[in-house]
Amino acid sequence: MAFRIIHERHGSNGSVERSETRVEQQEIVLGRGGESDVILVGQRIGIEHARFAWEGGALAVLDLGSLAGIRVNGRRVARAALADGDVVSLGDIEARVRLQGQEAELTLVEGLAQPAQDQDLAARGLAALGIESHVPPMRMLSLAAAVLVSLVFLALPIGSGEKDAWSTGPVSRAHQLIEEDCGQCHAKPFQPVQDAQCLTCHHMTEHAKGIGDFNARHPALQARCAQCHMEHNGDSGVITHDSRQCSSCHARMASLQPGATAENVPSFDLHPQFKISVPGPQGTVSRVSLDDQERAVDSSRIKLNHKLHLKRGLRGKEGPVTLECGACHRLGPDFRQLEPIRFDKHCRDCHSLGFDERLPYEEVPHGDAESVFESLFAAYSKVVLLKEDESVPNPAHDSTRDMPGSVPGAEEAPVPQSIAAVLGSARDAEKQLFTKTACFLCHSIAEKPSSEQTVSNAHYSVAEPNIPSVWFPQAHFSHGAHEKFTCESCHEKARGSSETKDLLLPRKQLCQECHRSEDTEGFVRSDCTECHSYHDSLGFPGERKEDIASYLKSLTR
């Protein structure tokens, strides 16, 4: 008994390849592997798919439990006797049978179109092998899991009274007093915390003028307090310092708000030049870039000469002195801002407000032009009274210091002896102070029109100095954090400045020498919140304050 095996492979391009093998055996097994005598390549061929065997002089085929099974002339069988010309389908391979005496010729044809019924059968068989056929559908499993989690999530805390299962994490220290009272923040179940709950305790400024209109035009950008102040992250999430919160809008202001005047600020590395607030007419304020050399000037109405004040050996109260920046510019109690300049604290030691060498201990008050004339009139009136009282010695000039603007060694003026003389002396001293000496040296002086001058009032007025306490109202800066460096490191032109209008503020380029918006070795990381606040805290309104004992008692109910 023998078998002739002819392999006939049909390509997709119409080509046909043939190969032939003859074996002297009683039976042969066809399949993809295992104990198969003839190896077939096909997606639906079993490892040992079918056996062809000579039985009593006749040829028979037997299905070996393959997934796709066998068909003889299109009919599904498990075992069948074969005749000459029969066609046996083995999955997607067709075996054509020719019998010649004691020899069977099997032509195995690969690459032919697969019958539709075989495709369906194979698909069902493959599906039966998957785990999906033995478990419920995934949609049903998901639904069951959701129901189970919901029951545990809701029923367990309600039944036990423990709500830790509902918490996403520990609250911050600022809110630990109310951490057991979820309703303080979560007013409605399954709704995000609303601003109204935050504003119950926190009294804040608005972010910027017109922010409400901006949100109305861009509903998708409307933000809640809780979008930036994220609770249940311990102390790491209450105040966010991530610049992306700010740059998400400020990096593209023009695209969000047509006609926006604010410049784009994608990061501190790409920050536009700093701007100061410059007072204008009728109380207006203009934002001026430090690069604008014509408009970015100090408009304070006071005569300030840094170059003169920093000279060595200035005349002081106790003798020659040499001033440094810290003599006038001192850190305030908050260790951030500088103290305002005050005449009595910073200037009086060098700048006398005396007016007559015969009255060395008399000085006019500082800060009010009307009080100056009143003080002068009173001082000269006292001289008359002292002259008339022989028992009281007349004041003598016993000081070696000369007043600013006085002429050393000048002949002593006669003491006034009448009200008219007192008034005349007071007016002369007033004119001297406001046009040549003390007041004139530092302030902008204006003589009043004759129509406004009376016998008893001051004839001169002093322009309000209007010295800015904060140059960058939309940013905050800590001088104390920069104490390692000298003042002139940042205010490098101060020693040579001789005019008040000289603006001595540092530009952004100097700050960027040390600060970067990303973590960079050797630089200070500086996010937006390093210099800017989204809003400022305000004092808690008095009408909303509570008694602490009553408040604590309400939390334990």
Side-chain angles (χ1 to χ4, degrees), residues 29 38 66 142 151 160 187 200 228 299 329 375 408 434 447 471 539 544:
V29 175
V38 178
S66 64
S142 300
L151 288 174
S160 63
T200 300
C228 293
S299 58
H329 303 290
S375 176
F434 283 106
E447 185 175 4
W471 282 101
R544 290 169 52 192

Side-chain angles (χ1 to χ4, degrees), residues 209-230:
K209 294 180 179 179
I211 192 68
D213 295 337
F214 182 81
N215 282 337
R217 289 192 297 271
H218 306 279
L221 296 178
Q222 291 198 38
R224 297 178 295 108
C225 301
Q227 287 182 256
C228 293
H229 301 285
M230 295 170 286

Side-chain angles (χ1 to χ4, degrees), residues 170-183:
V171 300
S172 63
R173 274 178 289 180
H175 293 150
Q176 283 181 349
L177 194 64
I178 59 173
E179 67 177 331
E180 297 298 327
D181 187 4
C182 302

Side-chain angles (χ1 to χ4, degrees), residues 88 117 128 142 158 162 237 305 427 435 441:
V88 181
Q117 57 183 353
S142 300
I158 292 174
E162 295 292 334
N305 188 325
R427 288 299 179 195
T435 63
L441 297 179

Side-chain angles (χ1 to χ4, degrees), residues 275-312:
K275 290 183 178 181
I276 60 171
S277 295
V278 177
Q282 299 179 349
T284 60
V285 177
S286 301
R287 300 283 294 157
V288 179
S289 169
L290 292 182
D291 287 337
D292 189 341
Q293 297 183 1
E294 293 185 3
R295 301 173 61 205
V297 296
D298 188 342
S299 58
S300 303
R301 293 186 292 270
I302 194 166
K303 301 170 187 177
L304 182 60
N305 188 325
H306 281 87
K307 182 178 180 180
L308 177 62
H309 282 78
L310 292 174
K311 288 181 62 176
R312 298 182 62 84

Side-chain angles (χ1 to χ4, degrees), residues 269-281:
D269 299 337
L270 301 175
H271 198 288
Q273 185 57 272
F274 299 151
K275 290 183 178 181
I276 60 171
S277 295
V278 177

